[in-house]
Amino acid sequence: MRKKILVIHGPNLNLLGEREPEFYGKTSLESINKKMSDIAEKNNIVLEIYQTNYEGEIVEIIHKKRTWADLIVINPAAYTHTSIAVRDALLAVKIPVIEVHLSNIYSRESFRHKSMISDIALGVISGFGEESYFMALDAAKKIIFT
Ligand code: DQA
């Protein structure tokens, strides 16, 4: 059976490339997703990628994929800092999680220093732009195949 990774992008990440490029880079989400899909294919991993601007939809995606995914890579974007609902959904499904951020959330405003997800994640990759996602996939690969 091929291993499966669920990737979830939270709110405003659909505007990557045009949104605050000094923090989030000039690459579009489509391009990041394409590169992730290529990495997954090369490693014989099945990837499903979702982006939503709605907190409840993140919860529903996690629920729907709870028997499908071997690992979740999530950039909850602004919901990182606020969402007990996303945290609880991740706790409920007990799927290993890697938290990703394009920017270094610890070098920005103090309200971004708090994450509702970090302490329940396997690890956090923050601050490497689009590379954060590719590093997360690399880590995910090592975790799901060992
Ligand atoms: C982000 C950081 C969050 O603080 C912010 O709200 C985002 C994106 C990042 O990828 O750097 O929308 O998660």
Side-chain angles (χ1 to χ4, degrees), residues 10-13 16 19-20 23-24 75-81 100-105 108-109 111-112 126-127 133:
N12 300 306
L13 294 173
L16 280 185
R19 170 196 182 207
E20 298 183 278
F23 287 118
Y24 304 121
N75 181 350
Y79 292 133
T80 306
H81 317 297
V100 168
H101 301 285
L102 295 137
S103 64
N104 178 352
I105 57 173
R108 301 183 61 197
E109 304 96 320
F111 64 83
R112 294 185 204 276
S126 180
Y133 286 104

Side-chain angles (χ1 to χ4, degrees), residues 51-110:
Q51 188 279 326
T52 175
N53 294 318
Y54 300 95
E55 183 177 14
E57 205 174 328
I58 297 178
V59 171
E60 295 213 329
I61 293 164
I62 294 167
H63 289 181
K64 278 193 191 123
K65 293 291 163 187
R66 71 184 183 280
T67 59
W68 181 86
D70 294 299
L71 189 142
I72 298 174
V73 171
I74 185 166
N75 181 350
Y79 292 133
T80 306
H81 317 297
T82 61
S83 182
I84 299 170
V86 172
R87 176 191 176 86
D88 282 352
L90 292 169
L91 282 173
V93 300
K94 296 196 182 81
I95 299 167
V97 182
I98 299 177
E99 178 185 342
V100 168
H101 301 285
L102 295 137
S103 64
N104 178 352
I105 57 173
Y106 299 101
S107 67
R108 301 183 61 197
E109 304 96 320
S110 58

Side-chain angles (χ1 to χ4, degrees), residues 28-43:
S28 68
L29 188 63
E30 202 186 356
S31 156
I32 293 174
N33 287 344
K34 168 85 176 71
K35 289 181 200 167
M36 280 198 287
S37 299
D38 289 347
I39 293 170
E41 210 168 293
K42 276 192 198 118
N43 289 283

